Amino acid sequence: EKGGYDHFMLKEIFEQPQTIFDSLRGRLDAEQQHITLSGVDKIKDKLMEANRIIIVACGTSWHAGLLAEYVIEELCRINVEVEYASEFRYRNPIITDKDVIIAISQSGETADTLVALENAKKQGATIFGLVNVVGSSIARLSDAGAYTHAGPEIGVASTKAFTAQLAVLYLIALKVARDKQTIDQTLFNKLLADLAKVPQFVHDILEEQDAAIKAVALKYADARDFLYLGRGFNFPIALEGALKLKEISYIHAEGYPAAEMKHGPIALVDENLPVVFVATKDSYHEKIVSNIQEIKARKGKVIAVISQGDNIVAGLADDVMVVPQVHEVIAPLLSVVPLQLLSYYIGVHRGLDVDKPRNLAKSVTVE
Ligand code: M6R
């Protein structure tokens, strides 16, 4: 049942070229430059007039939501707020019938997300569900939606469900942007073409980087803490990388926007602290290079996810994990993959049950 892999988590990480492909299939047509998403069409009027989009989720799905905020605001010029479902449901939020809520949930059964949506629906909001489990409670409650086609995810730590969520969120953002005419045809075509290449690129990362990442994992498996830093589109990936490491290895890890490090976390840096930079080539690259230099000046160990051919960061970092270069909007879908593998190999090296981390449930159906 694990298809020759030692753990479901590893199997699911390696399934991603296929699951991302499945989530794009029948929806993304790079040649015809067209996106088909009937769920988005169904609420098109609401989306065109929306005051704002509120994204509601928990955990890893919340990280997908945070990236969606960056992408939707950039491409669609619609105001987006990302909410932890547990907070949103209790704090009497201001909701009107001009709000569109995107609920993100692998299981479709997360109690806080479900109740938050029920409340918002009563106040007239339109609910769009981005769910993996077909027919689940959140799917049924939604006014419209799109399924992620990641297939059943057995590992408690989410991997392939996350990348499937990102794939579909990109499609949603691109479709709305095109409908609203907030991006031009050239950028639309470029992003579509890059998105279409992602399954192959993820395959390449898994093939080419697996052994190197395993070696990096063994080198740092005894660290007590980790810091994960990223800027812009890669900031949510820093958060997700840190969460994955905590869940799988029980090592304390924190994710931060790279520039925030000066406002506190830099006090932690010494020769024992590995700092993972999500540093693919983008418009913030120079800035992140100087953040890396600041860590190196304090003798921190730098592990960096970099774009192929980035000799600058490769020259500064202690260890690198290399991904193909794509447009910066799409890059997070690649940069998360090495971080999944890093957590996996550290957890395995520490002798832990990576498929069923202690104290965690696959879906949190009680508060
Ligand atoms: O099923 P959901 O996507 O609603 O679950 C949300 C979180 O409970 C989930 O992402 C959790 O954080 C995972 N353990 C992450 O690996």
Side-chain angles (χ1 to χ4, degrees):
E1 49 178 6
K2 291 181 198 148
Y5 292 94
D6 290 344
H7 300 96
F8 284 110
M9 183 179 178
L10 191 62
K11 172 174 177 262
E12 289 164 0
I13 291 172
F14 273 82
E15 272 171 6
Q16 291 176 109
Q18 186 62 46
T19 49
I20 296 168
F21 180 81
D22 290 342
S23 288
L24 299 174
R25 183 171 39 201
R27 294 168 166 173
L28 181 154
D29 188 338
E31 263 165 42
Q32 299 294 316
Q33 287 139 13
H34 186 76
I35 293 170
T36 311
L37 275 176
S38 54
V40 172
D41 288 334
K42 193 172 166 194
I43 59 161
K44 187 173 170 182
D45 295 345
K46 288 277 178 192
L47 278 165
M48 292 303 120
E49 297 163 12
N51 276 347
R52 56 176 180 167
I53 292 173
I54 306 170
I55 299 179
V56 178
C58 303
T60 287
S61 297
W62 188 92
H63 295 151
L66 185 61
L67 177 60
E69 174 181 30
Y70 281 57
V71 174
I72 294 172
E73 288 198 346
E74 171 74 22
L75 302 180
C76 312
R77 309 312 294 159
I78 302 174
N79 182 13
V80 180
E81 317 224 0
V82 190
E83 300 275 357
Y84 289 108
S86 57
E87 289 296 315
F88 190 67
R89 68 179 276 197
Y90 284 114
R91 72 168 168 76
N92 195 15
I94 302 157
I95 302 168
T96 74
D97 60 3
K98 289 254 185 289
D99 290 323
V100 173
I101 299 205
I102 301 181
I104 309 177
S105 177
Q106 187 287 129
S107 62
E109 302 296 347
T110 299
D112 281 328
T113 311
L114 187 59
V115 178
L117 299 175
E118 283 166 357
N119 294 346
K121 200 171 179 176
K122 277 187 210 133
Q123 294 176 68
T126 301
I127 316 286
F128 184 95
L130 179 58
V131 172
N132 195 44
V133 176
V134 176
S136 55
S137 304
I138 293 173
R140 282 183 277 120
L141 180 136
S142 300
D143 298 300
Y147 283 113
T148 44
H149 295 298
E153 191 179 58
I154 310 293
V156 166
S158 185
T159 54
K160 64 173 181 170
F162 178 70
T163 49
Q165 287 166 347
L166 296 192
V168 180
L169 285 164
Y170 283 126
L171 292 177
I172 295 169
L174 283 162
K175 186 168 173 60
V176 173
R178 212 52 209 121
D179 288 346
K180 283 194 73 182
Q181 310 254 313
T182 44
I183 60 172
D184 62 28
Q185 190 77 44
T186 315
L187 178 59
F188 181 76
N189 293 352
K190 163 73 180 154
L191 291 171
L192 239 57
D194 276 11
L195 197 49
K197 286 184 213 148
V198 165
Q200 181 61 46
F201 283 162
V202 171
H203 174 267
D204 296 346
I205 295 168
L206 294 168
E207 285 289 301
E208 293 161 17
Q209 295 292 305
D210 183 50
I213 295 170
K214 191 171 179 178
V216 175
L218 299 194
K219 194 168 156 188
Y220 297 100
D222 296 323
R224 196 190 59 182
D225 311 280
F226 267 71
L227 205 54
Y228 283 72
L229 302 176
R231 305 181 78 112
F233 299 105
N234 276 325
F235 162 51
I237 300 306
L239 297 184
E240 174 59 9
L243 177 64
K244 219 83 299 173
L245 188 70
K246 275 181 275 212
E247 292 186 286
I248 297 304
S249 73
Y250 313 155
I251 296 175
H252 167 242
E254 291 194 58
Y256 267 96
E260 268 296 304
M261 85 187 180
K262 289 197 200 74
H263 301 280
I266 200 162
L268 298 171
V269 178
D270 65 13
E271 66 279 7
N272 298 315
L273 184 77
V275 183
V276 178
F277 276 93
V278 192
T280 51
K281 277 237 166 115
D282 54 23
S283 23
Y284 319 90
H285 196 250
E286 265 175 47
K287 306 253 177 221
I288 209 157
V289 168
S290 70
N291 296 141
I292 292 173
Q293 286 164 331
E294 283 156 357
I295 296 293
K296 283 314 299 170
R298 288 161 185 82
K299 302 197 166 43
K301 298 282 182 292
V302 170
I303 306 165
V305 179
I306 62 169
S307 306
Q308 222 142 36
D310 180 357
N311 297 326
I312 298 176
V313 176
L316 288 169
D318 295 271
D319 295 281
V320 293
M321 306 186 276
V322 186
V323 298
Q325 187 163 359
V326 290
H327 191 283
E328 64 177 358
V329 168
I330 306 293
L333 197 35
L334 301 182
S335 47
V336 71
V337 174
L339 303 183
Q340 297 169 339
L341 282 174
L342 182 67
S343 303
Y344 171 77
Y345 285 121
I346 293 179
V348 169
H349 185 71
R350 289 167 71 107
L352 302 173
D353 184 355
V354 295
D355 283 339
K356 272 183 143 296
R358 68 183 177 203
N359 308 337
L360 289 176
K362 182 63 187 162
S363 84
V364 183
T365 52
V366 289
E367 283 190 53

